[in-house]
Amino acid sequence: MKKRRTVHAALRLLSISIALFLAYSEVTATTVVLPADEDMVVGARAIIRGKVTNIGVKLDDTSGRIFTYVTVRVQEVLKGQISDREVVLKEEGGQVGNIGSSVYGAPTFDIDERVLLYLDTWSDGSLRVHQLFLGKFSIIRDERSGKQIAVRSTPDANTSIIDAASLGRPQVHSTNKMDLDSYLTLVRGMVESNRRNSRQFERRHYNQIPVVSRPPEFVSAAPGQIRPQFTLFPSTPARWFEADSGQTVPFFVNPDQMPSATTPDDLSAAMNAWSVVPGCSLRLVNGGPSGACADHFINTVTFNNCSAQFAPSPGCASVLAVTNINWDSSQRKTVNGTTFNRMIEAHVNYNPYASCDFSDPCKVREIGTHEIGHGCGLGHSQDATATMYAFIHYDGRCASLKQDDINAIVFVYPTPGPPLSISQSSLPPATVGTFYSQGVTATGGTPPYTWSVVDGLGTLPSGLVMSSDGSITGTPSASGSSSFTVKVTDSTTTSTQKALTLTVNSALAGYDAQFVSQQVPSTLTPGQVFSATVRWMNTGSQSWDPGAGFKVASQNPPNNITWGGDSVVPAQGITTSGNTLELTFQATAPHSNGVYEFQWQPWHQGSGFFGQRSSDVSIVVSDGSSPVINTPSSMDGAQGVPFSFQVPVTGGVPPYVWSIAGGALPAGVTMSAAGMISGVPGVPGPSTVDIQVTDFLSKNAHKTIAFNITPPAPVIITIGVTPGQRDVAYSFPLAADGGKPPYSWKLVAGALPAGLGITADGLLAGIPLVDGTFDFAVELTDADSRTAQKALTILIAPPPLRLGQPVSQDVARGVSFSLQLVASGGRPAYSWAVESGALPPGIGLNQSTGLLSGAPTANGTFNFTLSVSDSLGTKVTSDSVQIRVLNPDSIPSITKVKYKVGKGKLIVTGRNIDSTAVLKVDGQVVGGPPVDNQFTFKHKWPAGRHEIRIVNPSAITSQPVFLTVE
């Protein structure tokens, strides 16, 4: 059978730019295994059938967690101690104001929906659906047969379901759909046949936890007063805004109940998989060990169910892992055309009741990589090879990504480009009554750009407007200078502003011009002096008089002195209306190769430009040379270290276009069309690439560059050391990356607990002889003699405190009695106490030594419990202990035991023996009644040690006597 995880509703990442908003709209991820029907019945504290009547949501002020409350009118109780006609369920998730929280796999409810529910409880006794959506069945009517059907709830798109057989577990029967009558019969039968198992399960996991019909904090709310959200995932996705400012996003690992000593490194590998993607700005780090548990604004990974999300399971649990994230919809940012809420916390929770599936570190890494991907804002992919696919792979990929995973994370967290800036420092003047059109441009940031004029910081001249593409257009209606501030915003919502001034000149009546023709060379050599001729016809009523302020000026670009000057005064004198101005002048080409613009327009002092511009011509200035790539023939880099190099070029005519003509750059490194080689080399070793540059005239040049990527300097990647226990064998491998193996390890500072040492290959091992917290530093040396050091801390805990269970006793009134209590583990000294009940009068407990002693003074049966506490404040309580104080003459005693081996005859003589007493040998009654305080019994006893007791009525027993048969 093919091993896979199935999902009922999958999301697409086929077109990253279009469909990603669907994949990233969820905020919690869950992985489950289909449970056996019998496990569901045994594990649930209650099973009910009823109807949903109300849904509400509330923020818990103490924990900062959001809960949704579902009111159900009970129609039938199939299991459990529920007597109320109405119960209120408490499910995690919802939205209050701008703050929201969701849980993938949570059951979905509708008002008036009829349901059959398996329920367990939170630690305060509040009810919730058992095993998330797996414990909810909707009751619907089949349109064809008219029968009522029980249908298991369908999970959301980011919940992965695994068949038990795919994990190597025995195949189980798991009902997802059945007609209601048949299913009720099935459930009732399982409840009846599993009563004993259910009672044992209840005592083990829910001892002293009540079942309450409604949570203590619940306040009734009418439908519609509160908006339920925990099953309605947000309309916009979420992401970490920290990535945009270069900040890391830490996840803290709670070490309690971790599957193995390598788990912190497994989780570091899962985080690192998302942090080394070229072109991705997100950086996740392992924050180290922490006792945090779903704390507000702290990202955590836990294994101990400290947040009580998981219910106990009779077998290996159905839910493997759940990832919760919280977001703030009041903070939003648009990236690559998609608007994201700000993610404020994430919690990856492995289910300790499913630890049977966590023995393989590679599987822990794949689960962690998948779940942490959800914690980065990613949903499921339709690409079957992707780690974020809805089906688990277990193909040895461990903590690694495929191309679709890389596409997704780069889309959500693109590496920022150059800083956003506005190009213009000035604008060409406008003329009253003359149509004006001028574009404002920007560089850097992430296009496309959106433009606007900033309110309150000036205005455009009357008659002009600015469009969102940066164009300032219109016909000015009044002269004067206007100062205003423009704002440009890129696709990541990054923005910048700039103050500009636009002068509107007065229109001189009768000034107009029509462009006729021009002659200008199309190619020039650098510094060449050339002649240009431009013609305009005077189509206005006013003459053009150079002596009165008329000239022709450069327009593209404005104030252009590329050609040796920015204006020309005609030498031929006045051009009257209806005549043509033929302006011939000498200009000088720029001294650098390139493509330069050439455009002119008539201008009059006091009014500025008027009439038509000449044709805009692009002139190529070239010395005839071909481009030459001026770069070394070899370059060095280090694996995992960012690399950046702008390839220089001389000759030819810019602009240049760069490409790869052959070979390949190192893995993780790319070259842009502008010749920037950059990236994070991913694999050490040599590579060769043929780089080609092509200039404006299609001339090209090649350069072969040899790259040598060396392993990075060694680094110790162990974040935290797994705690140990005093007097228990300990082993923890230190981990490193980079450098050149093999590594050699040693202790360089601090001290390890007595009994522990570090081997040359980095194994921290031994039997710790003391407990406490120990700080130390280690150093590794690689094969190239490069070193790395790291400070670490190890916690050695004392063994668990244990109390030897005292044996219940019968003692004689007035007779001296003593019983030494025994404890082990913990950290001495011990302190003893009577926890509940009372000791017989006359008997006391020494709190320091644990000795029960004295002479009881009153008959009776006395039940009590004892406790022992160590110096750390840990306390352990015994089971109930019973001491019966009896009249001395009611307690039998054995005064003589005689056994004749040859005849197999046993003779037991004693005192205070009742006529109905019995003799027990090794716990079995033997022989007949006593005669004159003596028992006689013939039997050949096997060799060994045998216990002999006399038992009077009311189970009053003598002290044992032991007979050894050779």
Side-chain angles (χ1 to χ4, degrees), residues 136-470:
K136 183 218 171 182
F137 284 76
S138 297
I139 299 174
I140 61 175
R141 184 173 296 279
D142 183 72
E143 295 182 357
R144 292 185 178 181
S145 65
K147 290 184 176 181
Q148 295 185 91
I149 306 293
V151 182
R152 174 168 273 150
S153 181
T154 302
D156 54 73
N158 285 296
T159 299
S160 302
I161 303 179
I162 313 171
D163 184 63
S166 67
L167 297 176
R169 301 186 194 173
Q171 185 66 47
V172 299
H173 183 273
S174 183
T175 301
N176 291 316
K177 183 177 181 181
M178 184 181 290
D179 73 85
L180 180 61
D181 290 341
S182 299
Y183 190 59
L184 290 173
T185 300
L186 174 69
V187 173
R188 292 183 187 114
M190 286 189 174
V191 169
E192 184 62 33
S193 62
N194 285 279
R195 287 191 181 280
R196 181 179 180 183
N197 292 339
S198 295
R199 284 195 299 270
Q200 292 175 345
F201 187 82
E202 177 97 6
R203 283 195 297 268
R204 184 181 310 121
H205 297 288
Y206 296 105
N207 187 32
Q208 297 182 348
I209 297 178
V211 175
V212 298
S213 60
R214 57 181 54 205
E217 73 278 13
F218 176 75
V219 177
S220 180
Q225 287 185 326
I226 305 175
R227 182 176 57 149
Q229 286 291 319
F230 79 100
T231 57
L232 304 176
F233 299 110
S235 58
T236 54
R239 68 189 289 276
W240 296 105
F241 288 6
E242 285 79 359
D244 305 325
S245 56
Q247 299 179 63
T248 59
V249 178
F251 279 76
F252 294 88
V253 181
N254 191 321
D256 188 26
Q257 298 186 36
M258 286 192 307
S260 72
T262 65
T263 298
D265 294 329
D266 297 335
L267 296 173
S268 294
M271 298 174 203
N272 192 57
W274 296 107
S275 302
V276 297
V277 177
C280 170
S281 60
L282 179 65
R283 296 293 180 266
L284 305 176
V285 295
N286 189 326
S290 170
C293 172
D295 292 358
H296 214 26
F297 302 115
I298 297 178
N299 308 319
T300 59
V301 182
T302 63
F303 299 86
N304 61 358
N305 197 28
C306 55
S307 61
Q309 277 192 312
F310 304 109
S313 175
C316 195
S318 302
V319 180
L320 297 180
V322 172
T323 299
N324 306 65
I325 72 167
N326 291 350
W327 75 96
D328 184 351
S329 62
S330 69
Q331 302 183 63
R332 292 188 173 185
K333 181 174 288 190
T334 300
V335 177
N336 284 328
T338 300
T339 300
F340 292 86
N341 291 325
R342 179 165 195 160
M343 201 178 301
I344 56 178
E345 63 189 78
H347 306 289
V348 176
N349 305 301
Y350 286 77
N351 186 355
Y353 300 111
S355 58
C356 61
D357 290 313
F358 303 151
S359 58
D360 183 348
C362 185
K363 293 180 179 180
V364 171
R365 290 188 176 203
E366 183 178 353
I367 294 172
T369 305
H370 182 99
E371 297 297 327
I372 289 172
H374 285 304
C376 297
L378 306 186
H380 282 150
S381 168
Q382 281 285 4
D383 183 349
T385 66
T387 299
M388 294 306 298
Y389 189 47
F391 293 67
I392 198 68
H393 299 85
Y394 286 168
D395 55 2
R397 68 179 57 204
C398 305
S400 64
L401 306 181
K402 302 302 179 182
Q403 189 59 50
D404 191 67
D405 305 311
I406 294 171
N407 292 343
I409 200 70
V410 170
F411 179 86
V412 180
Y413 301 97
T415 301
L420 181 64
S421 63
I422 297 173
S423 305
Q424 277 79 4
S425 58
S426 62
L427 294 171
T431 302
V432 173
T434 301
F435 182 78
Y436 183 86
S437 178
Q438 179 66 40
V440 187
T441 58
T443 59
T446 306
Y449 307 121
T450 302
W451 293 85
S452 62
V453 176
V454 180
D455 291 339
L457 296 179
T459 58
L460 287 167
S462 177
L464 298 184
V465 295
M466 184 178 205
S467 61
S468 60
D469 65 358

Side-chain angles (χ1 to χ4, degrees), residues 451-515:
W451 293 85
S452 62
V453 176
V454 180
D455 291 339
L457 296 179
T459 58
L460 287 167
S462 177
L464 298 184
V465 295
M466 184 178 205
S467 61
S468 60
D469 65 358
S471 298
I472 299 175
T473 58
T475 302
S477 59
S479 61
S481 293
S482 296
S483 296
F484 53 93
T485 298
V486 296
K487 176 182 177 182
V488 62
T489 304
D490 71 2
S491 63
T492 69
T493 70
T494 301
S495 64
T496 189
Q497 300 179 3
K498 195 169 192 178
L500 298 174
T501 299
L502 176 57
T503 299
V504 179
N505 296 319
S506 299
L508 294 181
Y511 280 87
D512 202 359
Q514 178 181 329
F515 171 69

Side-chain angles (χ1 to χ4, degrees), residues 330 482 663 717 742 878 915:
S330 69
S482 296
I717 61 174
S878 72
S915 61

Side-chain angles (χ1 to χ4, degrees), residues 713-729:
V715 60
I716 299 173
I717 61 174
T718 295
I719 302 296
V721 177
T722 299
Q725 182 178 302
R726 189 186 74 224
D727 300 327
V728 175

Side-chain angles (χ1 to χ4, degrees), residues 580-602:
T580 299
L581 169 67
E582 183 174 293
L583 182 63
T584 300
F585 60 95
Q586 285 189 329
T588 303
H591 292 275
S592 300
N593 291 356
V595 181
Y596 301 90
E597 301 301 317
F598 186 95
Q599 186 181 44
W600 301 78
Q601 186 177 8

